[in-house]
Amino acid sequence: RKEVEQDPGPFNVPEGATVAFNCTYSNSASQSFFWYRQDCRKEPKLLMSVYSSGNEDGRFTAQRNRASQYISLLIRDSKLSDSATYLCVVTRIYNQGGKLIFGQGTELSV
Amino acid sequence: DAGVIQSPRHEVTEMGQEVTLRCKPISGHDYLFWYRQTMMRGLELLIYFNNNVPIDDSGMPEDRFSAKMPNASFSTLKIQPSEPRDSAVYFCASSLRSGVPNYGYTFGSGTRLTVV
């Protein structure tokens, strides 16, 4: 089982739709959580952090359930420009430093 | 700042050949990371450096892979000999801190490697 698992894609939605992505992580020692966006044939870029109480950034809302080890990303009023792959990322800090663990990603086509 | 610079952008090589990928991190970033991305396995951390010293190479797939960072502004990832299963996109990233994306964790544009 992968340490970070995401909904398989692709998600095909019309403009204006609301779409939600889910992510689960298996290591309870995971400390921080993020969503990255990756456009086709480009590098991943940080979209937003996920705070324990949930957070919003414009049309994007991230939430986390620590007990269920679950993270979500909600996109409201989808735009054509939202088409990309969305990567769930967890981090673990240990003596030698820290690691970002990436999910496989969920492809969105608007 | 020009960001993290990787070269070459594309590399096609024959099986058995040596391949060298290059990375210039953002000036002032103490951490440098090498990742590999494939359809099957997603984005995997291969190795990372702190102040030019390798800290964790547990993700390096096998002895055919080696990475060096001779100074703060340059790193290489070498595959010798290359095999078709090494075909992937290789990303370099640099950061002010390890494992913390909000501290300027920036990826380069990647090198798309095809081994035939």
Side-chain angles (χ1 to χ4, degrees), chain A residues 2 32 34 36 38 40-46 49 51 85 87 89 91-104, chain B residues 9-10 31 33 35 37-45 48 55-56 58-59 91 98-102 105 107-110 112:
Chain A
K2 295 187 189 304
S32 302
F34 303 87
Y36 270 71
Q38 185 172 24
C40 187
R41 303 180 87 84
K42 297 284 184 80
E43 71 273 21
K45 292 186 178 178
L46 179 62
S49 306
Y51 300 126
T85 296
L87 301 162
V89 179
T91 70
R92 260 189 288 125
I93 308 298
Y94 55 106
N95 286 342
Q96 294 172 303
K99 279 186 175 180
L100 270 59
I101 315 293
F102 285 80
Q104 289 280 88
Chain B
R9 290 296 302 274
H10 302 274
Y31 290 87
F33 310 84
Y35 285 87
Q37 187 173 36
T38 61
M39 289 292 291
M40 289 295 294
R41 301 175 67 90
L43 199 60
E44 303 173 284
L45 178 65
Y48 79 91
I55 301 300
D56 185 348
S58 59
F91 287 103
S98 168
V100 187
N102 344 41
Y105 205 114
F107 283 84
S109 300
R112 187 170 297 272

Side-chain angles (χ1 to χ4, degrees), chain B residues 11-12 21 28 54 58 60 68 74-75 77 83 91 95 99 108 114:
Chain B
E11 176 81 32
V12 180
L21 311 182
S58 59
M60 295 286 262
K68 293 182 179 179
F74 183 66
S75 177
L77 178 68
E83 296 182 4
F91 287 103
S95 176
T114 304

Side-chain angles (χ1 to χ4, degrees), chain A residues 16-64:
Chain A
T18 295
V19 60
F21 302 135
N22 302 316
C23 171
T24 56
Y25 58 97
S26 58
N27 192 328
S28 59
S30 300
Q31 291 168 292
S32 302
F33 308 89
F34 303 87
W35 284 99
Y36 270 71
R37 171 190 169 129
Q38 185 172 24
D39 292 295
C40 187
R41 303 180 87 84
K42 297 284 184 80
E43 71 273 21
K45 292 186 178 178
L46 179 62
L47 178 64
M48 60 194 298
S49 306
V50 184
Y51 300 126
S52 54
S53 54
N55 49 292
E56 210 171 281
D57 183 0
R59 297 181 293 109
F60 298 81
T61 300
Q63 291 191 306
R64 175 188 153 200

Side-chain angles (χ1 to χ4, degrees), chain B residues 74-93:
Chain B
F74 183 66
S75 177
T76 59
L77 178 68
K78 189 174 292 188
I79 308 172
Q80 166 64 20
S82 57
E83 296 182 4
R85 60 194 169 114
D86 301 331
S87 298
V89 181
Y90 290 81
F91 287 103
C92 176

Side-chain angles (χ1 to χ4, degrees), chain B residues 2 5 7 11 19 28 40-43 46 51-52 54 58-59 66 72 76 84-85 94 101:
Chain B
I5 299 172
S7 64
E11 176 81 32
V19 175
M40 289 295 294
R41 301 175 67 90
L43 199 60
L46 301 178
N51 291 324
N52 314 339
S58 59
S66 62
T76 59
R85 60 194 169 114
S94 71

Side-chain angles (χ1 to χ4, degrees), chain A residues 58-74:
Chain A
R59 297 181 293 109
F60 298 81
T61 300
Q63 291 191 306
R64 175 188 153 200
N65 183 316
R66 190 185 191 102
S68 304
Q69 294 183 191
Y70 167 93
I71 300 161
S72 65
L73 176 68
L74 185 77

